[in-house]
Structure formats: structure tokens, C-alpha cells
Amino acid sequence: VCEKDGIRWAVQAKRWTKRVGNRAVQEVLGGMRYYSCSHGMVVTTSAFTGSAVELARKDGSITLHDRSWLAEQIK
């Protein structure tokens, strides 16, 4: 859990070689509710399955960031 600009975020980081699926999105959603966060984020060194992307889109407060985004942030 972190906070920036008054917004509480539930963040889950996955260092995986396989694609990250629905479970990670469900876990961050649970963390958001448990820790009273308005936003959630899953960051991975891999990529996301199509169903994980679809599930995150259903809840506009969850963002997914894959290895491409992570590499860009490191630059």
C-alpha cells in the first residue's frame, strides 16, 4: 500500500516469466477493499493474459503495467 497526492494505492508486483492472469487482479482488488484504497496497480516483469486485461478494464480503478512500461520507467 502506498499513497501519492492523497490517493491510496494497493500495489502488487509480480516477477514472473509466465503471463500474469486474473488471480493477480483479483488479489489487488481484495487488497484495495481491505486497506481502503481507491486505486490498484499490478506491475510485472512479464505480460498479462487477455482475461486479466479484460477483468482490470471492468474496474476502472485498476491499472496493469507490464515489462515494457517497467523498462520505460527505468530509463
Side-chain angles (χ1 to χ4, degrees), residues 14-22 24-25 42-53 64-70:
K14 297 288 191 185
R15 185 176 180 239
W16 287 6
T17 55
K18 294 183 181 179
R19 290 180 173 261
V20 176
N22 285 351
V25 177
V42 183
V43 181
T44 183
T45 55
S46 183
F48 294 95
T49 63
S51 60
V53 172
L64 305 180
H65 298 291
D66 63 9
R67 65 179 161 245
S68 299
W69 177 87
L70 191 57

Side-chain angles (χ1 to χ4, degrees), residues 6-73:
I7 299 172
R8 285 178 58 91
W9 289 81
V11 180
Q12 181 151 179
K14 297 288 191 185
R15 185 176 180 239
W16 287 6
T17 55
K18 294 183 181 179
R19 290 180 173 261
V20 176
N22 285 351
R23 185 173 178 177
V25 177
Q26 292 167 344
E27 288 171 351
V28 84
L29 184 57
M32 287 169 60
R33 301 300 179 247
Y34 185 82
Y35 292 106
S36 301
C37 298
S38 59
H39 290 74
M41 177 188 307
V42 183
V43 181
T44 183
T45 55
S46 183
F48 294 95
T49 63
S51 60
V53 172
E54 184 177 330
L55 181 58
R57 283 187 185 146
K58 290 182 184 276
D59 187 313
S61 62
I62 297 175
T63 58
L64 305 180
H65 298 291
D66 63 9
R67 65 179 161 245
S68 299
W69 177 87
L70 191 57
E72 194 62 34
Q73 299 308 302

